């Protein structure tokens, strides 16, 4: 019995102390290389109407999208809602064939995230880097939630980038001419 109490005490101490050593500003970063020039990829990123084609969020459940007057480039806005929550995606900076910066607000601004997608040309290929960060976790125990969010977002970003790679590489291939 004494051994059980000792183990329980060590475990409880670990869970109480561990979050103080976790990153305070959570970040996620995923990379992929696509066999296409940045000019072939950029329209899928810069026009928010194209995001549902490659992101994975709409594949899990139905999402309703609405767009502002501007749908591509700086100032483009996408409002979305599903059965559990709603949000707003806004492109804050757009540099043609180089990068886009965006803000994402979820739950009427309760959660905010800033992100960037960079395109780095490398010969016939392009390296894509998709990264984001969100607000500081002042409460150390909220960092457990941030751990879960980082895991989920890494998974979603990786799947979305794979979808984008498939979409771009299949649409970038030259059409065969029937003889």
């Amino acid at each position: 019995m004494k051994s059980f109490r000792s183990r329980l005490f060590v475990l409880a101490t670990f869970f109480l102390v561990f979050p103080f050593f976790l990153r305070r500003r959570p970040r996620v970063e995923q990379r992929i290389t696509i066999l296409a020039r940045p000019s072939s990829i950029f329209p899928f990123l810069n026009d928010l109407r194209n995001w549902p084609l490659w992101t994975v969020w709409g594949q899990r459940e139905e999402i309703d999208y609405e767009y502002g007057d501007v749908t591509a480039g700086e100032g483009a806005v996408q409002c979305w809602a599903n059965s559990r929550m709603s949000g707003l995606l806004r492109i804050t900076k757009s540099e043609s064939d180089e990068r886009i910066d965006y803000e994402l607000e979820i739950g009427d601004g309760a959660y905010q995230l800033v992100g960037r997608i960079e395109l780095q040309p490398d010969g016939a290929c392009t390296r894509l880097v998709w990264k984001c960060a969100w607000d500081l976790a002042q409460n150390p125990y909220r960092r457990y939630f941030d751990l879960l969010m980082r895991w989920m977002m890494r998974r979603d970003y990786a799947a979305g980038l794979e979808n984008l790679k498939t979409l771009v590489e299949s649409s970038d291939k030259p059409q065969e001419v029937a003889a």
Side-chain angles (χ1 to χ4, degrees):
M1 190 57 113
K2 187 175 183 181
S3 174
F4 175 73
R5 286 185 192 157
S6 298
R7 289 180 186 170
L8 187 60
F9 176 74
V10 169
L11 185 64
T13 303
F14 174 78
F15 281 115
L16 289 172
V17 173
F18 180 69
F20 288 95
F21 296 99
L22 292 174
R23 179 178 289 165
R24 290 178 189 220
R25 180 153 180 111
R27 291 184 284 272
V28 173
E29 183 172 312
Q30 286 295 107
R31 300 170 181 264
I32 197 166
T33 301
I34 299 177
L35 183 58
R37 302 253 181 231
S39 58
S40 299
I41 302 167
F42 193 73
F44 289 102
L45 307 174
N46 195 48
D47 190 335
L48 294 178
R49 293 172 298 184
N50 290 328
W51 280 50
L53 299 174
W54 58 272
T55 55
V56 297
W57 302 304
Q59 295 174 356
R60 282 193 216 114
E61 63 183 299
E62 189 165 328
I63 298 178
D64 296 320
Y65 296 99
E66 293 181 16
Y67 299 93
D69 294 334
V70 178
T71 60
E74 193 169 323
V77 174
Q78 175 194 74
C79 298
W80 57 269
N82 63 22
S83 61
R84 295 177 292 136
M85 65 182 85
S86 63
L88 180 123
L89 176 64
R90 178 183 302 110
I91 295 179
T92 57
K93 186 171 190 175
S94 175
E95 295 179 9
S96 185
D97 299 339
E98 291 182 24
R99 79 175 207 209
I100 66 159
D101 293 351
Y102 65 91
E103 295 176 344
L104 177 66
E105 295 178 9
I106 302 173
D108 295 324
Y111 301 101
Q112 296 179 345
L113 175 146
V114 292
R116 173 178 290 169
I117 303 175
E118 298 173 345
L119 296 98
Q120 303 164 347
D122 185 18
C125 298
T126 302
R127 285 192 208 113
L128 226 70
V129 181
W130 190 2
K131 49 188 162 185
C132 72
W134 55 94
D135 64 330
L136 301 171
Q138 299 297 334
N139 181 341
Y141 300 105
R142 195 187 114 195
R143 295 178 201 156
Y144 282 124
F145 175 73
D146 290 342
L147 272 178
L148 174 67
M149 289 302 298
R150 288 195 334 236
W151 174 79
M152 289 171 42
M153 291 179 73
R154 268 192 211 102
R155 177 194 64 188
D156 290 352
Y157 280 18
L161 289 173
E162 283 296 329
N163 290 345
L164 181 61
K165 178 180 175 131
T166 302
L167 184 65
V168 169
E169 289 180 355
S170 66
S171 68
D172 209 34
K173 292 181 182 173
Q175 300 293 321
E176 291 183 23
V177 178

